[in-house]
Amino acid sequence: MDKISQLPDDLLIKILSLFPTKDVVAMRVLSKRWMSLWTLVPRLIFGVHPEEDDDREEEDAKSDENDHCSHFVYGTLLLHKAPVLERFHLNRVSGCTASEIDLWVRIAVDRFVRDLKIRFFPEYGIIRLPSTLFRCETLETLELRKVIISDVPSRVSFKSLKTFRLLFVKYPDEESFVRIISDCPVLEDLVVETCHDDNVELTIVDYFGELKLLGNNNNLPQVIEANLLSVSCHAKVLESFSRLNRISLCLPEEVQYPTGIVLSQLVCLEICSCEDNWTNMLVSVLQHSPKLKALKLALNHSVSEDRKLFWTQPSCVPQCLLCHLETFEWRGYGGTTEEVEKEVAIYILNNASRLVTATIYYPESFELERKRRMFKELEVVSRGSRSCKLTMG
Protein backbone atom coordinates (compact mmCIF):
# COMPACT_ATOMS: atom_id res chain seq x y z
CA MET A 1 0.00 0.00 0.00
CA ASP A 2 2.94 2.34 0.72
CA LYS A 3 4.08 2.02 -2.91
CA ILE A 4 0.61 2.81 -4.21
CA SER A 5 0.34 5.84 -1.94
CA GLN A 6 3.51 7.22 -3.44
CA LEU A 7 1.85 7.52 -6.84
CA PRO A 8 0.74 11.01 -7.97
CA ASP A 9 -2.85 12.05 -7.26
CA ASP A 10 -3.87 12.09 -10.92
CA LEU A 11 -2.83 8.47 -11.37
CA LEU A 12 -4.48 7.34 -8.15
CA ILE A 13 -7.73 9.01 -9.21
CA LYS A 14 -7.61 7.16 -12.54
CA ILE A 15 -7.12 3.87 -10.67
CA LEU A 16 -10.01 4.58 -8.32
CA SER A 17 -12.20 5.44 -11.31
CA LEU A 18 -12.08 1.79 -12.37
CA PHE A 19 -14.04 0.63 -9.30
CA PRO A 20 -17.70 0.94 -8.28
CA THR A 21 -18.35 3.88 -5.98
CA LYS A 22 -19.13 1.53 -3.09
CA ASP A 23 -15.58 0.15 -3.22
CA VAL A 24 -14.01 3.56 -3.81
CA VAL A 25 -15.63 4.99 -0.68
CA ALA A 26 -14.57 1.94 1.33
CA MET A 27 -10.94 2.48 0.29
CA ARG A 28 -10.76 5.78 2.15
CA VAL A 29 -9.83 3.88 5.33
CA LEU A 30 -6.62 2.60 3.74
CA SER A 31 -4.74 5.87 4.12
CA LYS A 32 -5.22 9.37 5.51
CA ARG A 33 -4.32 10.69 2.09
CA TRP A 34 -7.18 8.65 0.56
CA MET A 35 -9.72 10.15 2.97
CA SER A 36 -10.20 13.09 0.64
CA LEU A 37 -8.77 11.66 -2.58
CA TRP A 38 -11.85 9.56 -3.35
CA THR A 39 -14.01 12.70 -3.42
CA LEU A 40 -12.21 13.82 -6.59
CA VAL A 41 -12.98 10.68 -8.60
CA PRO A 42 -14.98 11.88 -11.66
CA ARG A 43 -17.03 8.70 -11.97
CA LEU A 44 -19.88 7.75 -9.65
CA ILE A 45 -21.30 4.28 -10.28
CA PHE A 46 -23.91 3.04 -7.83
CA GLY A 47 -24.88 -0.61 -7.93
CA VAL A 48 -24.12 -3.37 -10.43
CA HIS A 49 -25.32 -3.41 -14.04
CA PRO A 50 -28.47 -5.64 -14.13
CA GLU A 51 -27.10 -7.80 -16.93
CA GLU A 52 -23.94 -8.55 -14.95
CA ASP A 53 -25.67 -10.29 -12.08
CA ASP A 54 -29.03 -11.64 -13.23
CA ASP A 55 -28.17 -15.07 -11.83
CA ARG A 56 -27.32 -13.97 -8.30
CA GLU A 57 -29.34 -15.16 -5.35
CA GLU A 58 -32.13 -12.89 -4.12
CA GLU A 59 -30.26 -12.28 -0.89
CA ASP A 60 -27.24 -10.96 -2.79
CA ALA A 61 -29.46 -8.72 -4.89
CA LYS A 62 -30.97 -7.17 -1.76
CA SER A 63 -27.51 -6.59 -0.40
CA ASP A 64 -26.58 -4.82 -3.62
CA GLU A 65 -29.64 -2.58 -3.33
CA ASN A 66 -28.37 -1.40 0.02
CA ASP A 67 -25.15 -0.30 -1.67
CA HIS A 68 -26.91 2.47 -3.53
CA CYS A 69 -29.86 3.20 -1.26
CA SER A 70 -30.86 6.79 -0.84
CA HIS A 71 -28.67 7.74 2.12
CA PHE A 72 -25.55 6.30 0.47
CA VAL A 73 -26.11 8.27 -2.75
CA TYR A 74 -26.97 11.41 -0.80
CA GLY A 75 -23.90 11.07 1.41
CA THR A 76 -21.60 10.47 -1.55
CA LEU A 77 -22.88 13.48 -3.50
CA LEU A 78 -22.66 15.66 -0.39
CA LEU A 79 -18.95 14.92 0.04
CA HIS A 80 -18.04 14.65 -3.62
CA LYS A 81 -15.89 17.50 -4.97
CA ALA A 82 -14.99 16.64 -8.57
CA PRO A 83 -15.96 19.67 -10.73
CA VAL A 84 -16.86 17.46 -13.72
CA LEU A 85 -18.72 14.15 -13.66
CA GLU A 86 -17.56 11.91 -16.49
CA ARG A 87 -20.01 9.19 -15.46
CA PHE A 88 -23.05 9.04 -13.22
CA HIS A 89 -24.67 5.58 -13.19
CA LEU A 90 -27.64 4.51 -11.08
CA ASN A 91 -28.07 0.73 -11.39
CA ARG A 92 -30.86 -1.24 -9.72
CA VAL A 93 -32.50 1.90 -8.34
CA SER A 94 -35.84 0.24 -7.61
CA GLY A 95 -35.79 1.49 -4.00
CA CYS A 96 -35.40 5.17 -4.92
CA THR A 97 -38.20 7.70 -5.35
CA ALA A 98 -38.82 9.87 -8.38
CA SER A 99 -38.02 13.06 -6.42
CA GLU A 100 -34.69 11.61 -5.25
CA ILE A 101 -33.62 10.68 -8.76
CA ASP A 102 -34.72 14.10 -9.97
CA LEU A 103 -32.43 15.79 -7.40
CA TRP A 104 -29.46 13.54 -8.14
CA VAL A 105 -29.74 14.13 -11.88
CA ARG A 106 -29.92 17.89 -11.28
CA ILE A 107 -26.64 17.68 -9.38
CA ALA A 108 -25.08 15.60 -12.17
CA VAL A 109 -26.16 18.12 -14.81
CA ASP A 110 -24.78 20.98 -12.72
CA ARG A 111 -21.45 19.14 -12.75
CA PHE A 112 -21.41 18.83 -16.53
CA VAL A 113 -22.19 15.10 -16.66
CA ARG A 114 -21.11 13.34 -19.85
CA ASP A 115 -22.36 9.78 -19.31
CA LEU A 116 -25.67 9.26 -17.49
CA LYS A 117 -27.40 5.92 -16.98
CA ILE A 118 -30.50 5.11 -14.94
CA ARG A 119 -31.47 1.46 -14.79
CA PHE A 120 -34.38 -0.03 -12.89
CA PHE A 121 -34.33 -3.78 -12.28
CA PRO A 122 -36.25 -6.05 -12.17
CA GLU A 123 -39.41 -3.90 -11.94
CA TYR A 124 -40.21 -0.64 -13.66
CA GLY A 125 -39.76 2.64 -11.83
CA ILE A 126 -41.34 6.07 -12.32
CA ILE A 127 -38.84 8.88 -12.73
CA ARG A 128 -39.15 12.64 -13.05
CA LEU A 129 -36.23 14.05 -14.95
CA PRO A 130 -35.32 17.74 -14.53
CA SER A 131 -35.87 19.98 -17.54
CA THR A 132 -32.17 20.94 -17.41
CA LEU A 133 -31.26 17.40 -18.43
CA PHE A 134 -33.16 17.73 -21.71
CA ARG A 135 -31.01 20.73 -22.59
CA CYS A 136 -27.72 19.43 -21.20
CA GLU A 137 -24.95 20.44 -23.61
CA THR A 138 -22.23 18.21 -22.12
CA LEU A 139 -24.15 14.92 -22.18
CA GLU A 140 -22.63 12.44 -24.64
CA THR A 141 -24.18 9.15 -23.46
CA LEU A 142 -27.66 8.62 -22.03
CA GLU A 143 -29.22 5.27 -21.16
CA LEU A 144 -32.59 4.68 -19.54
CA ARG A 145 -33.72 1.14 -18.71
CA LYS A 146 -37.14 0.04 -17.45
CA VAL A 147 -38.18 3.54 -16.50
CA ILE A 148 -41.54 5.26 -16.75
CA ILE A 149 -40.97 8.89 -17.75
CA SER A 150 -43.62 11.05 -16.13
CA ASP A 151 -43.07 14.18 -18.21
CA VAL A 152 -41.10 15.46 -21.19
CA PRO A 153 -40.70 19.23 -21.67
CA SER A 154 -41.74 20.91 -24.90
CA ARG A 155 -38.15 21.88 -25.65
CA VAL A 156 -35.58 19.09 -25.88
CA SER A 157 -32.07 19.51 -27.25
CA PHE A 158 -29.14 17.12 -26.89
CA LYS A 159 -26.42 19.00 -28.76
CA SER A 160 -23.54 16.68 -27.79
CA LEU A 161 -25.35 13.35 -27.42
CA LYS A 162 -23.66 10.56 -29.40
CA THR A 163 -25.03 7.41 -27.72
CA PHE A 164 -28.71 7.12 -26.77
CA ARG A 165 -30.21 3.91 -25.39
CA LEU A 166 -33.90 3.69 -24.50
CA LEU A 167 -34.49 0.16 -23.22
CA PHE A 168 -38.04 -0.85 -22.27
CA VAL A 169 -38.97 2.75 -21.56
CA LYS A 170 -42.59 3.88 -21.16
CA TYR A 171 -43.41 7.41 -22.33
CA PRO A 172 -46.31 9.75 -21.51
CA ASP A 173 -47.36 9.57 -25.18
CA GLU A 174 -45.96 9.10 -28.67
CA GLU A 175 -45.26 12.82 -29.08
CA SER A 176 -43.03 12.69 -26.01
CA PHE A 177 -40.88 10.05 -27.58
CA VAL A 178 -40.60 12.05 -30.80
CA ARG A 179 -39.48 15.12 -28.84
CA ILE A 180 -36.84 13.16 -26.95
CA ILE A 181 -35.01 12.14 -30.13
CA SER A 182 -35.95 15.12 -32.29
CA ASP A 183 -32.84 17.25 -31.77
CA CYS A 184 -29.71 15.10 -31.60
CA PRO A 185 -27.52 16.59 -34.35
CA VAL A 186 -24.39 14.48 -33.67
CA LEU A 187 -26.07 11.22 -32.64
CA GLU A 188 -24.15 8.14 -33.78
CA ASP A 189 -25.72 5.29 -31.80
CA LEU A 190 -29.44 5.00 -31.08
CA VAL A 191 -30.90 1.85 -29.55
CA VAL A 192 -34.60 1.56 -28.81
CA GLU A 193 -36.04 -1.59 -27.32
CA THR A 194 -39.80 -1.44 -26.86
CA CYS A 195 -41.95 -3.12 -24.24
CA HIS A 196 -45.17 -4.96 -24.99
CA ASP A 197 -47.52 -2.55 -23.23
CA ASP A 198 -46.07 0.84 -24.15
CA ASN A 199 -48.18 3.43 -25.96
CA VAL A 200 -45.87 4.25 -28.84
CA GLU A 201 -45.87 2.66 -32.29
CA LEU A 202 -42.17 2.37 -33.01
CA THR A 203 -39.76 0.53 -35.14
CA ILE A 204 -38.37 -2.35 -33.10
CA VAL A 205 -34.66 -2.57 -33.60
CA ASP A 206 -31.93 -5.08 -32.99
CA TYR A 207 -30.00 -4.60 -29.76
CA PHE A 208 -26.78 -6.07 -31.11
CA GLY A 209 -24.33 -4.51 -33.55
CA GLU A 210 -22.49 -1.25 -33.82
CA LEU A 211 -25.44 0.95 -34.57
CA LYS A 212 -29.19 0.65 -34.69
CA LEU A 213 -31.91 3.08 -35.51
CA LEU A 214 -35.62 3.45 -36.02
CA GLY A 215 -37.33 5.41 -38.75
CA ASN A 216 -39.55 8.47 -39.00
CA ASN A 217 -36.95 10.99 -37.88
CA ASN A 218 -35.13 13.28 -40.27
CA ASN A 219 -32.95 15.09 -37.71
CA LEU A 220 -30.26 12.45 -37.24
CA PRO A 221 -27.74 13.39 -39.94
CA GLN A 222 -24.78 11.51 -38.44
CA VAL A 223 -26.41 8.07 -38.36
CA ILE A 224 -24.75 5.85 -40.98
CA GLU A 225 -25.72 2.30 -40.02
CA ALA A 226 -29.05 0.71 -39.15
CA ASN A 227 -30.07 -2.78 -38.16
CA LEU A 228 -33.82 -3.24 -38.55
CA LEU A 229 -35.07 -6.56 -37.29
CA SER A 230 -38.78 -5.95 -37.52
CA VAL A 231 -40.91 -2.95 -38.17
CA SER A 232 -44.41 -1.92 -37.28
CA CYS A 233 -46.58 -2.12 -40.39
CA HIS A 234 -47.46 1.53 -39.72
CA ALA A 235 -43.86 2.69 -40.01
CA LYS A 236 -42.57 4.18 -43.25
CA VAL A 237 -39.62 1.89 -43.57
CA LEU A 238 -36.32 3.33 -44.77
CA GLU A 239 -37.84 6.76 -45.33
CA SER A 240 -35.38 8.39 -42.98
CA PHE A 241 -32.35 6.40 -44.03
CA SER A 242 -31.25 7.95 -47.30
CA ARG A 243 -27.77 8.68 -45.92
CA LEU A 244 -27.04 5.25 -44.55
CA ASN A 245 -24.02 3.35 -45.81
CA ARG A 246 -24.76 0.07 -43.99
CA ILE A 247 -28.11 -1.57 -43.32
CA SER A 248 -29.41 -4.95 -42.21
CA LEU A 249 -33.05 -5.82 -42.90
CA CYS A 250 -35.46 -8.44 -41.66
CA LEU A 251 -38.90 -7.08 -42.38
CA PRO A 252 -42.38 -8.57 -42.11
CA GLU A 253 -44.28 -9.37 -45.29
CA GLU A 254 -46.60 -6.35 -45.12
CA VAL A 255 -43.76 -3.81 -45.16
CA GLN A 256 -43.23 -2.24 -48.56
CA TYR A 257 -40.28 -0.27 -49.91
CA PRO A 258 -41.21 3.46 -49.84
CA THR A 259 -41.75 5.10 -53.21
CA GLY A 260 -39.08 7.53 -54.37
CA ILE A 261 -36.49 6.75 -51.67
CA VAL A 262 -32.96 6.34 -53.03
CA LEU A 263 -30.25 4.98 -50.72
CA SER A 264 -27.56 6.97 -52.46
CA GLN A 265 -24.81 6.27 -49.89
CA LEU A 266 -25.54 2.60 -49.19
CA VAL A 267 -22.50 0.37 -49.72
CA CYS A 268 -23.25 -2.66 -47.49
CA LEU A 269 -26.56 -4.50 -47.40
CA GLU A 270 -27.70 -7.57 -45.47
CA ILE A 271 -31.16 -9.07 -45.95
CA CYS A 272 -32.61 -11.93 -43.92
CA SER A 273 -34.31 -14.54 -46.11
CA CYS A 274 -36.79 -15.80 -43.50
CA GLU A 275 -39.84 -13.96 -44.87
CA ASP A 276 -41.72 -15.33 -47.88
CA ASN A 277 -41.41 -12.04 -49.78
CA TRP A 278 -37.75 -11.28 -49.05
CA THR A 279 -36.91 -11.41 -52.75
CA ASN A 280 -39.23 -8.44 -53.42
CA MET A 281 -37.42 -6.34 -50.79
CA LEU A 282 -34.08 -7.44 -52.23
CA VAL A 283 -34.99 -6.28 -55.73
CA SER A 284 -36.36 -2.96 -54.43
CA VAL A 285 -33.25 -2.16 -52.40
CA LEU A 286 -30.91 -3.17 -55.24
CA GLN A 287 -32.78 -0.93 -57.66
CA HIS A 288 -32.46 2.04 -55.29
CA SER A 289 -28.86 1.55 -54.09
CA PRO A 290 -26.65 2.62 -56.99
CA LYS A 291 -23.36 2.44 -55.02
CA LEU A 292 -23.82 -0.90 -53.28
CA LYS A 293 -20.53 -2.81 -52.98
CA ALA A 294 -21.31 -5.66 -50.57
CA LEU A 295 -24.40 -7.87 -50.46
CA LYS A 296 -25.12 -10.51 -47.82
CA LEU A 297 -28.14 -12.81 -47.75
CA ALA A 298 -28.66 -14.79 -44.55
CA LEU A 299 -31.27 -17.09 -43.08
CA ASN A 300 -31.21 -15.82 -39.49
CA HIS A 301 -34.51 -17.28 -38.29
CA SER A 302 -36.32 -20.60 -38.55
CA VAL A 303 -38.78 -21.14 -41.40
CA SER A 304 -41.37 -23.76 -42.29
CA GLU A 305 -40.30 -26.49 -44.68
CA ASP A 306 -43.30 -26.00 -46.96
CA ARG A 307 -43.08 -22.23 -47.37
CA LYS A 308 -43.57 -20.73 -50.84
CA LEU A 309 -41.11 -18.29 -52.34
CA PHE A 310 -41.59 -16.15 -55.43
CA TRP A 311 -38.99 -14.48 -57.62
CA THR A 312 -39.67 -11.87 -60.27
CA GLN A 313 -36.57 -10.93 -62.20
CA PRO A 314 -36.10 -7.15 -62.53
CA SER A 315 -36.99 -5.71 -65.93
CA CYS A 316 -33.57 -4.04 -66.04
CA VAL A 317 -30.36 -4.87 -64.22
CA PRO A 318 -29.80 -2.63 -61.17
CA GLN A 319 -26.93 -0.17 -61.56
CA CYS A 320 -25.15 -1.47 -58.47
CA LEU A 321 -24.78 -4.93 -60.09
CA LEU A 322 -23.39 -3.46 -63.28
CA CYS A 323 -20.96 -0.98 -61.74
CA HIS A 324 -20.17 -1.48 -58.06
CA LEU A 325 -20.99 -4.81 -56.37
CA GLU A 326 -17.73 -6.50 -55.35
CA THR A 327 -18.68 -8.93 -52.57
CA PHE A 328 -21.56 -11.40 -52.44
CA GLU A 329 -22.20 -13.74 -49.51
CA TRP A 330 -25.10 -16.10 -48.91
CA ARG A 331 -25.49 -17.89 -45.57
CA GLY A 332 -28.04 -20.67 -45.25
CA TYR A 333 -28.35 -21.14 -49.00
CA GLY A 334 -30.61 -24.12 -49.66
CA GLY A 335 -31.10 -23.88 -53.41
CA THR A 336 -34.59 -25.33 -52.98
CA THR A 337 -38.08 -23.88 -52.36
CA GLU A 338 -39.09 -24.30 -56.01
CA GLU A 339 -35.46 -23.45 -56.89
CA VAL A 340 -36.15 -19.75 -56.26
CA GLU A 341 -32.96 -19.40 -54.21
CA LYS A 342 -30.98 -20.94 -57.04
CA GLU A 343 -32.52 -18.51 -59.54
CA VAL A 344 -31.61 -15.53 -57.34
CA ALA A 345 -28.01 -16.73 -56.96
CA ILE A 346 -27.67 -17.29 -60.71
CA TYR A 347 -29.12 -13.85 -61.48
CA ILE A 348 -26.57 -12.12 -59.25
CA LEU A 349 -23.65 -14.16 -60.62
CA ASN A 350 -24.80 -13.49 -64.19
CA ASN A 351 -25.14 -9.73 -63.82
CA ALA A 352 -22.63 -8.55 -61.21
CA SER A 353 -19.95 -7.41 -63.67
CA ARG A 354 -17.55 -6.09 -60.99
CA LEU A 355 -17.90 -8.98 -58.58
CA VAL A 356 -14.64 -10.08 -56.93
CA THR A 357 -15.74 -12.74 -54.43
CA ALA A 358 -18.88 -14.83 -53.99
CA THR A 359 -19.13 -17.15 -50.98
CA ILE A 360 -21.91 -19.67 -50.46
CA TYR A 361 -22.63 -21.19 -47.04
CA TYR A 362 -24.99 -24.15 -46.83
CA PRO A 363 -27.12 -25.22 -43.85
CA GLU A 364 -25.17 -27.27 -41.31
CA SER A 365 -27.74 -30.05 -41.61
CA PHE A 366 -26.75 -30.70 -45.24
CA GLU A 367 -24.36 -33.58 -45.84
CA LEU A 368 -21.04 -32.73 -47.44
CA GLU A 369 -21.86 -34.57 -50.66
CA ARG A 370 -25.09 -32.62 -51.05
CA LYS A 371 -23.23 -29.33 -50.49
CA ARG A 372 -20.67 -30.22 -53.15
CA ARG A 373 -23.34 -31.19 -55.66
CA MET A 374 -25.22 -27.94 -55.14
CA PHE A 375 -22.02 -25.93 -55.32
CA LYS A 376 -21.13 -27.49 -58.69
CA GLU A 377 -24.50 -26.32 -60.03
CA LEU A 378 -23.40 -22.73 -59.34
CA GLU A 379 -19.82 -23.25 -60.48
CA VAL A 380 -20.91 -23.86 -64.07
CA VAL A 381 -23.04 -20.72 -64.17
CA SER A 382 -21.86 -17.98 -66.49
CA ARG A 383 -20.52 -15.04 -64.47
CA GLY A 384 -20.72 -11.40 -65.37
CA SER A 385 -17.29 -10.83 -63.87
CA ARG A 386 -14.33 -12.83 -65.19
CA SER A 387 -12.36 -12.11 -62.02
CA CYS A 388 -15.06 -13.41 -59.68
CA LYS A 389 -13.86 -16.14 -57.32
CA LEU A 390 -16.68 -18.45 -56.20
CA THR A 391 -16.03 -20.39 -52.99
CA MET A 392 -17.95 -22.68 -50.66
CA GLY A 393 -17.86 -21.51 -47.04
Side-chain angles (χ1 to χ4, degrees), residues 12-20 23-24 41 43 45 87:
L12 284 173
I13 289 174
K14 287 182 179 180
I15 294 174
L16 290 174
S17 297
L18 302 175
F19 296 91
D23 298 330
V24 173
V41 174
R43 300 179 181 182
I45 301 175
R87 291 182 185 176

Side-chain angles (χ1 to χ4, degrees), residues 19-261:
F19 296 91
T21 301
K22 171 193 66 173
D23 298 330
V24 173
V25 174
M27 289 180 188
R28 72 188 189 278
V29 302
L30 298 177
S31 167
K32 288 184 178 180
R33 181 181 170 206
W34 288 37
M35 288 293 291
S36 59
L37 194 61
W38 75 268
T39 64
L40 299 175
V41 174
R43 300 179 181 182
L44 295 180
I45 301 175
F46 299 97
V48 180
H49 192 295
E51 294 178 357
E52 294 176 358
D53 64 340
D54 283 345
D55 297 329
R56 296 188 316 164
E57 297 294 332
E58 182 178 353
E59 188 173 317
D60 292 333
K62 289 181 179 179
S63 174
D64 180 66
E65 287 180 4
N66 291 331
D67 292 336
H68 61 262
C69 62
S70 299
H71 73 268
F72 179 65
V73 178
Y74 273 123
T76 302
L77 290 174
L78 183 64
L79 297 173
H80 197 255
K81 300 176 182 178
V84 174
L85 268 179
E86 294 178 2
R87 291 182 185 176
F88 186 62
H89 294 185
L90 296 169
N91 298 312
R92 291 180 173 271
V93 289
S94 299
C96 305
T97 66
S99 59
E100 289 172 335
I101 294 176
D102 176 274
L103 176 60
W104 299 337
V105 173
R106 286 176 188 271
I107 295 173
V109 172
D110 288 342
R111 296 189 185 179
F112 311 104
V113 64
R114 297 174 184 169
D115 181 339
L116 174 64
K117 297 181 181 180
I118 303 174
R119 303 178 176 116
F120 278 79
F121 186 85
E123 301 298 330
Y124 279 85
I126 298 175
I127 62 172
R128 183 174 64 245
L129 296 172
S131 59
T132 53
L133 172 67
F134 294 98
R135 299 189 299 274
C136 182
E137 295 187 355
T138 60
L139 195 62
E140 297 178 0
T141 298
L142 176 59
E143 178 178 321
L144 303 176
R145 177 189 175 101
K146 281 200 169 184
V147 303
I148 302 172
I149 301 177
S150 60
D151 184 46
V152 176
S154 57
R155 181 192 168 203
V156 179
S157 179
F158 293 116
K159 297 299 184 183
S160 302
L161 195 64
K162 295 182 179 180
T163 301
F164 203 177
R165 297 177 181 270
L166 299 167
L167 310 178
F168 312 109
V169 174
K170 297 183 181 180
Y171 312 89
D173 48 49
E174 187 166 355
E175 289 72 22
S176 297
F177 170 80
V178 173
R179 288 201 300 275
I180 287 176
I181 66 167
S182 64
D183 193 355
C184 305
V186 298
L187 190 65
E188 297 175 354
D189 184 343
L190 173 62
V191 180
V192 179
E193 189 130 351
T194 58
C195 43
H196 70 280
D197 57 347
D198 64 18
N199 57 352
V200 182
E201 288 182 352
L202 304 174
T203 303
I204 303 171
V205 299
D206 182 22
Y207 187 27
F208 304 99
E210 288 184 15
L211 190 62
K212 312 93 187 171
L213 181 65
L214 68 159
N216 294 328
N217 185 42
N218 294 314
N219 298 317
L220 304 172
Q222 300 300 315
V223 174
I224 59 172
E225 180 174 345
N227 192 337
L228 307 183
L229 272 189
S230 62
V231 180
S232 163
C233 60
H234 301 290
K236 296 180 181 179
V237 184
L238 302 176
E239 201 162 288
S240 298
F241 299 120
S242 60
R243 298 183 183 181
L244 288 173
N245 63 37
R246 303 174 64 90
I247 191 168
S248 178
L249 300 175
C250 180
L251 306 178
E253 188 171 353
E254 63 270 19
V255 174
Q256 302 296 320
Y257 191 92
T259 303
I261 300 300

Side-chain angles (χ1 to χ4, degrees), residues 276-295:
D276 290 353
N277 72 330
W278 69 268
T279 58
N280 294 335
M281 182 59 69
L282 171 64
V283 171
S284 295
V285 179
L286 290 180
Q287 289 175 328
H288 296 85
S289 307
K291 296 181 181 180
L292 189 70
K293 291 185 176 182
L295 171 63

